[in-house]
Amino acid sequence: MTMTTTSEKTVASDTVLECRGLSAGYAGAVVCRDLDITVRSGEVVALIGANGAGKSTTMLTVAGELEPISGSLSVLGSDRRASLSTLARRGLSYVTEERSVIMGLTAAENLRLAGVSADDACAVFPELRALLRRPAGLMSGGEQQMLTLARALARNPKLLLADELSLGLAPQIVQRLLAVVRSAADERGVGVLLVEQHVRQVLTVADRVYVMRRGRMMLEGTAAEIGADLDAVQRAYLSAAGDTGSAGTGQFG
């Protein structure tokens, strides 16, 4: 299956992430091979695939948590391999698949610990204003993820990496989170690479989509192109059946 890679909308020419022939893994064992990924300012790019496809390994490598095994990787204009802390200073925000709020601290304390003002966070999610004094451990999963995403975006990043932002959350919360991600790209020019299990929902906010299977990039195209043939994409690439090390499938609702 072949699809074009031209975005449906005009995006800024600035490239904030570029991988060419990137291979990545753990302790020298290759998990992902020959990946080509580009993200530009103001663009939301979705990375989808069955569990075990290598999406999180890719994100960890881009974020500087894993050393690339081979290939080239440029993040925020730097071709040198840099740590997550260094990339964060240059304008990277990374939302991992595990929520990183400290449960014993209030929402306001979590923000202060991250060096983010409550006003800036509440500008992203006004719903947080009423929750600032609440311990994060007493917030719902959706509220915790709003706090996490608000904290990431309030830093005014140039590149946002978000790994399974909607994991375990109700569809209406997922829609709210993805809408804020889309707004950050449109209004602030943030480049976004988004791993997401709610495929149909992410297609409503993404500009382009990469589809992974067994550690390789199998398909790329605009969200409209992927969505137009989603059933075939699901059968060919998004089912974990037969994938060694996979444990589940993407969600399509």
Side-chain angles (χ1 to χ4, degrees), residues 55-201:
K55 305 183 301 296
S56 291
T57 300
T58 301
M59 296 288 270
L60 287 168
T61 305
V62 170
E65 290 287 85
L66 292 176
E67 284 281 326
I69 293 173
S70 63
S72 66
L73 171 61
S74 175
V75 182
L76 298 173
S78 175
D79 293 325
R80 295 188 303 122
R81 296 176 183 179
S83 66
L84 177 55
S85 59
T86 298
L87 292 173
R89 289 193 294 270
R90 294 176 182 168
L92 172 71
S93 282
Y94 182 26
V95 177
T96 67
E97 61 182 328
E98 296 181 0
R99 289 175 199 136
S100 56
V101 296
I102 298 176
M103 298 300 180
L105 299 182
T106 66
E109 289 167 340
N110 269 278
L111 293 171
R112 280 200 298 272
L113 186 63
V116 171
S117 78
D119 287 342
D120 287 344
C122 292
V124 178
F125 283 105
E127 301 96 318
L128 291 175
R129 181 70 68 183
L131 303 172
L132 290 174
R133 296 184 180 180
R134 185 174 299 177
L138 297 181
M139 296 168 68
S140 70
E143 290 167 345
Q144 291 173 7
Q145 199 65 311
M146 285 182 190
L147 176 60
T148 300
L149 184 56
R151 184 179 60 192
L153 290 176
R155 294 175 178 145
N156 294 314
K158 298 175 183 176
L159 173 62
L160 172 69
L161 306 179
D163 192 353
E164 299 287 13
L165 189 65
S166 68
L167 192 62
L169 300 180
Q172 62 268 29
I173 299 297
V174 176
Q175 185 177 18
R176 178 76 176 106
L177 294 169
L178 292 178
V180 166
V181 169
R182 181 69 260 176
S183 293
D186 290 338
E187 297 171 12
R188 303 195 213 174
V190 180
V192 181
L193 182 61
L194 184 67
V195 169
E196 184 51 56
Q197 60 172 319
H198 289 268
V199 176
R200 291 192 187 277
Q201 289 212 39

